[in-house]
Amino acid sequence: MSTTLPAVLAISGSDSSGGAGMQADLKTMLACGVFGMSAITALTAQNTTGVRSIQDTKPDILADEIDMVFEDIPPVAVKIGMVSSADIINVIADRLTAHHATNIVLDPVMVATSGAKLISDDAIAALTGRLFGMATVVTPNIPEAEALTDTLIHDQEDMETAARRISEQYGCAALVKGGHGTEDANDVLAEVDGTVTWFDGVRINNPNTHGTGCTLSSAIASYLALGDTLPKAIKHAKKYLTGALKAQLDLGHGSGPMDHFWKYR
């Protein structure tokens, strides 16, 4: 007797220490019950203390990665993470358009927790101009939402305003994540039809948060592939992330990874 699983494609960078990026994406997808596949946008030499070097994938190689996946095992959902150049972004947009990709979850990795900008202005323009409009949902954290709306976010009212503005401007749902705020880890979703949904989250006292954004967006893509509505997928993804943080895995000398397989311990 044969079996099948919903397939999900992660388009993201490789994290050599395994806590974020492609490694976190694939671990999350496995734990959430889907078949994860990969198109690597960059190689990074990093660990829990920082990034030493980055090598972008050649655009033609990335195009082949995406094409080979779609030609054989068409994914039901796509998660997009680290994309550092306009050339890379344009290739992703071209290939996903050609293959009529659905359920696209975009984690716009633009701004570090410190506030430092991680990608160039032309890459940000390509990201917002080409990929945002294709996305089912984008998942900015507070610093990224501030950069996208050119406003400061101080409270939940500001978060909701930012989510609405992003959704209206780019024609996609926007989930503004509250993990960088001072209150509980509540997130707000603004959908294209104007619906706004808040998701309550408990702030976990855990300094090891490497890969939280990658993990949440991959979990959302996984649950969309399993047939959830967007609000339901986000609810399930937040529950999964909370469990991974509560497991209190402690590896490395910096901000370490979470336990992506916590449900099965």
Side-chain angles (χ1 to χ4, degrees):
M1 187 179 78
S2 63
T3 63
T4 187
L5 283 173
V8 181
L9 172 62
I11 304 175
S12 54
S14 170
D15 171 7
S16 52
S17 67
M22 182 61 70
Q23 286 79 354
D25 295 338
L26 294 177
K27 291 172 186 177
T28 299
M29 290 172 186
L30 178 64
C32 291
V34 299
F35 183 79
M37 302 178 292
S38 63
I40 295 177
T41 60
L43 297 177
T44 73
Q46 66 174 290
N47 58 28
T48 63
T49 65
V51 179
R52 182 169 297 170
S53 56
I54 300 175
Q55 175 64 60
D56 282 341
T57 302
K58 291 181 180 180
D60 59 331
I61 297 295
L62 178 59
D64 282 345
E65 290 185 85
I66 296 170
D67 286 346
M68 290 296 281
V69 168
F70 273 92
E71 289 166 14
D72 190 36
I73 310 174
V76 182
V78 178
K79 173 264 168 82
I80 305 172
M82 176 188 175
V83 285
S84 57
S85 75
D87 287 345
I88 291 288
I89 292 164
N90 285 325
V91 163
I92 294 168
D94 289 344
R95 300 327 302 151
L96 293 185
T97 299
H99 294 293
H100 308 288
T102 58
N103 293 321
I104 298 172
V105 180
L106 173 59
D107 182 20
V109 184
M110 297 165 49
V111 183
T113 304
S114 64
K117 192 167 67 174
L118 298 177
I119 63 175
S120 64
D121 287 338
D122 67 326
I124 291 175
L127 187 70
T128 56
R130 296 218 59 197
L131 289 182
F132 271 49
M134 298 172 59
T136 301
V137 62
V138 296
T139 61
N141 58 31
I142 285 177
E144 288 155 353
E146 289 178 331
L148 287 166
T149 58
D150 197 28
T151 57
L152 293 177
I153 295 174
H154 300 288
D155 53 30
Q156 291 195 347
E157 183 178 349
D158 293 341
M159 285 176 62
E160 183 170 322
T161 298
R164 287 182 183 273
R165 285 184 59 184
I166 294 167
S167 179
E168 290 168 1
Q169 181 170 353
Y170 299 108
C172 59
L175 179 72
V176 175
K177 300 176 295 189
H180 286 75
T182 57
E183 302 175 49
D184 285 339
N186 299 332
D187 303 341
V188 60
L189 172 70
E191 297 184 71
V192 178
D193 65 1
T195 303
V196 171
T197 308
W198 277 93
F199 301 89
D200 293 337
V202 179
R203 187 174 295 280
I204 308 300
N205 183 18
N206 184 347
N208 296 306
T209 57
H210 187 54
T212 50
C214 309
T215 298
L216 181 69
S217 54
S218 290
I220 294 171
S222 298
Y223 287 116
L224 286 174
L226 288 166
D228 280 359
T229 62
L230 180 57
K232 193 172 180 181
I234 293 168
K235 181 180 178 181
H236 285 152
K238 279 183 67 68
K239 182 178 180 180
Y240 169 75
L241 177 60
T242 298
L245 286 166
K246 280 184 174 179
Q248 298 289 342
L249 182 65
D250 188 16
L251 296 172
H253 296 91
S255 178
M258 298 161 291
D259 185 354
H260 290 92
F261 222 55
W262 63 271
K263 289 195 290 186
Y264 305 96
R265 303 293 178 205

